[in-house]
Amino acid sequence: MAILAVVRDVCAVVGVQIPQSIFSGITANRTMQEMLSLANEIAQRIAYDARDWTMLRKTSIFTGNGVQTAFDLPADYKRMLLTGNVWGPWSTQVPLRFVPDTDEWLRRRANNETNSHGEWTILGGQMHIFPVLPTAATVTFPYLH
């Protein structure tokens, strides 16, 4: 679907005059400037938030030292892959359990609860892993850069 068709459909719904062109006379047409800006924003969301482009995929490995539970995310980290998992030393068949809710993460840590395959979450630009990774043990995960 062409951008002009999308803009026409949106204009019809929001009650704005339906354009013949987006770009001709755009400097004098604030509505078309806003439509173009919105189209660019949505295109970026689709490009980065809804797809795991193969050229942007990478993997990272954290190595345990027997003490550390929080690891800095890679400098080029954008987000986890949509279907990516964190794989640790506790099982080669089952990934670590992702705990997305911060309150649940904190409750589980306060109660010393853990999944038998380990758990992870992201807080403050770091991946937190529980239980502590043993010395020289690794976790691996894919991400989008």
Side-chain angles (χ1 to χ4, degrees):
M1 178 177 263
I3 189 170
L4 179 58
V6 173
V7 168
R8 285 179 172 172
D9 289 347
V10 171
C11 288
V13 170
V14 299
V16 174
Q17 183 178 357
I18 298 173
Q20 296 303 311
S21 170
I22 296 173
F23 300 104
S24 69
I26 194 168
T27 56
N29 189 336
R30 181 174 176 199
T31 300
M32 286 309 107
Q33 290 174 7
E34 291 174 353
M35 291 290 179
L36 186 58
S37 176
L38 183 60
N40 282 322
E41 180 182 334
I42 295 304
Q44 287 179 349
R45 286 186 191 180
I46 291 169
Y48 292 112
D49 297 340
R51 301 280 187 272
D52 290 336
W53 302 105
T54 56
M55 293 298 293
L56 300 178
R57 293 179 192 177
K58 283 188 163 183
T59 57
S60 185
I61 298 173
F62 296 140
T63 303
N65 61 10
V67 178
Q68 185 176 359
T69 60
F71 299 84
D72 290 335
L73 293 170
D76 63 350
Y77 177 91
K78 171 85 172 149
R79 64 169 171 80
M80 294 294 289
L81 296 184
L82 296 173
T83 58
N85 288 298
V86 177
W87 296 92
W90 299 286
S91 173
T92 59
Q93 302 298 313
V94 180
L96 278 69
R97 176 180 178 249
F98 175 49
V99 181
D101 183 84
T102 303
D103 283 336
E104 181 183 354
W105 177 264
L106 294 173
R107 181 191 59 75
R108 292 179 67 77
R109 299 300 68 86
N111 292 323
N112 203 31
E113 294 176 31
T114 189
N115 179 292
S116 61
H117 304 293
E119 298 177 345
W120 69 278
T121 197
I122 294 179
L123 296 169
Q126 293 184 314
M127 181 177 286
H128 295 255
I129 298 170
F130 190 83
V132 173
L133 280 174
T135 300
T138 61
V139 295
T140 305
F141 65 94
Y143 68 96
L144 199 71
H145 78 95

